[in-house]
Amino acid sequence: MRTNFPHIRLRWHRVGSATAVTAALVLAGFGTAVHADATTSSKVTWAATPCATPKKTDELACNSLRVTGGTTAFQKARGITPKAADAATPSGYGPSDLQSAYGLTAAAAANGSGETIAIVDAYNDPNAEADLAKYRSYYGLPACTSASGCFKKVSQTGSTTSLPSSDAGWSEEISLDLDMVSAIAPNAKILLVEAKSATMANLGKAVNEAVTLGAKFVSNSYGGSESSSDTSYDSSYFNHPGVAITVSAGDEGYGAEYPAASKYVTSVGGTALSTSSNSRGWTESVWKTSSTEGTGSGCSSYDAKPSWQTDTGCTKRMISDVSAVADPATGVSVYDSYGVTAGWYTFGGTSASSPIIAAVYALAGTPGSSDYPAQYPYKHTSSLNDVTSGNNGSCSTSYFCTATSGYDGPTGWGTPKGVSAFTG
């Protein structure tokens, strides 16, 4: 049985030259993180979403955090003054920002039609389709409904009527995932597969169901501690040639998680994303809030090294492969209504980066039928934005936790620069 012992997120953070104490634990059992991004003039605060603390020891955690106050990078760049916690208006990056940052504007408009991107999460979000409609309508994206066949929600057995019990925390995660897929690949179909609980067995069955139903791109924004069972999970749930399976690297700083450690998936790290005066118009660094909060990375204890990984410091599978925005202070806009005040929220965590990368794969086209698409970025490293600054903790082998030119654990080979790195 897999066990996952979540960290209680009560901690100190140093902001600039002053030390800020995190808020006391809130009713759900989470603390509030404080971060001053280079692009902001006021502290951004956030809390882990409720699904980041599993209900049972054999359940996995979602990798998302929701902003609760301050001025985000998006707001600062546009001179927007409302607090980020105001649900009335977006306070995070929207589709045009993300497409611009990752060189996807043209591809997002032209590609993705006919492709199906699956989102695998636990429990049911009864408002998923309605909230998705709000997001897409606000940003001028084409409608994606069950009536048109664009959106479909099923259980891990494929049922459209016998769905899991509803859960407010996982509903926040679901909204984040659906909105990120929409932001990057607005012409693609979306399949939401809801596992009946957050155990690896049920989430894994949901992955298999997504593939059975025809999805060639499957995003997973959850994880837990590694175990000796992981290699059996690999063969049971993640060995799907011809399917791009993305997995969040984790939100607890340096250290390996599963299923990001699976040799069959694309493990996705997280960055802080800010506007810049450089030619790209954007800059990124490793997302790190503290030694216990930031993107995951590391050398797996159990999974074998895939043939396409050539770093020499880790003899087994190394996390991550690629990365995308995850810092809540530079977070993304999401519409959510189940269990919270209906409205706009800003989210971060590698739960944002995994669906972004899954959608980039969809823009790049259907993978080769016998391919493991995790290898694609390794063939096209020049077609990625190399992230060379920042770290996610302390480690004995520098590139395991520290950004460097070329490959490193926290950001892999980098972030999307168009779709070329995600094709065979």
Side-chain angles (χ1 to χ4, degrees):
M1 177 179 294
R2 170 178 299 276
T3 57
N4 187 84
F5 298 100
H7 295 292
I8 300 299
R9 297 173 184 258
L10 178 62
R11 56 177 76 108
W12 293 84
H13 295 298
R14 184 167 298 279
V15 182
S17 59
T19 300
V21 65
T22 59
L25 291 176
V26 297
L27 292 178
F30 308 111
T32 300
V34 183
H35 180 75
D37 184 75
T39 63
T40 65
S41 58
S42 67
K43 297 170 186 176
V44 181
T45 59
W46 59 84
T49 53
C51 56
T53 295
K55 296 178 179 181
K56 301 176 182 178
T57 56
D58 63 343
E59 290 195 339
L60 305 187
C62 68
N63 287 310
S64 56
L65 306 102
R66 193 181 80 191
V67 169
T68 56
T71 304
T72 65
F74 168 84
Q75 292 174 301
K76 180 64 176 177
R78 289 158 180 77
I80 300 172
T81 56
K83 294 180 179 179
D86 179 5
T89 56
S91 55
Y93 292 134
S96 62
D97 302 299
L98 297 173
Q99 292 171 19
S100 168
Y102 296 127
L104 300 169
T105 304
N111 301 355
S113 180
E115 305 287 10
T116 297
I117 305 169
I119 295 296
V120 171
D121 280 312
Y123 300 102
N124 177 43
D125 177 2
N127 297 356
E129 184 172 356
D131 289 350
L132 177 64
K134 290 280 190 180
Y135 180 90
R136 295 177 72 105
S137 175
Y138 180 89
Y139 286 111
L141 305 178
C144 186
T145 67
S146 55
S148 70
C150 175
F151 176 76
K152 186 175 185 179
K153 180 173 75 171
V154 300
S155 72
Q156 69 188 52
T157 63
S159 174
T160 58
T161 55
S162 181
L163 298 170
S165 59
S166 298
D167 182 271
W170 278 95
S171 291
E172 293 184 34
E173 174 65 48
I174 289 169
S175 291
L176 167 60
D177 294 341
L178 296 178
D179 290 355
M180 289 308 95
V181 165
S182 298
I184 300 299
N187 296 320
K189 296 180 179 179
I190 302 176
L191 172 66
L192 171 60
V193 186
E194 298 178 330
K196 67 179 180 180
S197 76
T199 64
M200 187 67 262
N202 286 323
L203 288 162
K205 290 174 183 176
V207 171
N208 288 343
E209 184 63 26
V211 176
T212 297
L213 292 175
K216 298 299 183 184
F217 316 93
V218 184
S219 176
N220 304 269
S221 293
Y222 55 83
S225 56
E226 292 190 286
S227 82
S228 58
S229 300
D230 290 347
T231 54
S232 66
Y233 296 145
D234 280 352
S235 57
S236 297
Y237 307 129
F238 297 105
N239 186 4
H240 294 288
V243 180
I245 301 175
T246 63
V247 180
S248 301
D251 293 351
E252 297 183 345
Y254 175 65
E257 282 194 2
Y258 190 86
S262 171
K263 63 182 179 180
Y264 296 122
V265 310
T266 300
S267 58
V268 186
T271 67
L273 172 70
S274 303
T275 55
S276 172
S277 59
N278 62 18
S279 59
R280 177 186 170 194
W282 300 86
T283 186
E284 289 175 277
S285 60
V286 176
W287 166 45
K288 176 189 175 184
T289 307
S290 72
S291 61
T292 55
E293 186 175 274
T295 183
S297 72
C299 182
S300 173
S301 297
Y302 301 99
D303 251 77
K305 198 171 196 68
S307 60
W308 51 86
Q309 274 200 330
T310 58
D311 62 292
T312 58
C314 171
T315 59
K316 293 190 179 295
R317 204 282 196 244
M318 188 70 196
I319 302 168
S320 298
D321 298 311
V322 292
S323 51
V325 61
D327 187 344
T330 69
V332 297
S333 183
V334 173
Y335 189 90
D336 187 54
S337 69
Y338 185 67
V340 295
T341 300
W344 295 96
Y345 296 91
T346 294
F347 279 86
T350 52
S351 279
S353 52
S354 177
I356 287 173
I357 296 299
V360 177
Y361 271 112
L363 293 180
T366 306
S369 61
S370 61
D371 290 354
Y372 291 100
Q375 68 185 293
Y376 292 170
Y378 290 78
K379 298 178 178 180
H380 308 286
T381 58
S382 63
S383 296
L384 293 159
N385 299 302
D386 191 8
V387 181
T388 59
S389 64
N391 68 80
N392 64 346
S394 300
C395 56
S396 57
T397 304
S398 179
Y399 79 89
F400 284 16
C401 65
T402 303
T404 187
S405 179
Y407 181 84
D408 57 72
T411 66
W413 282 104
T415 64
K417 185 165 63 175
V419 300
S420 296
F422 299 87
T423 62

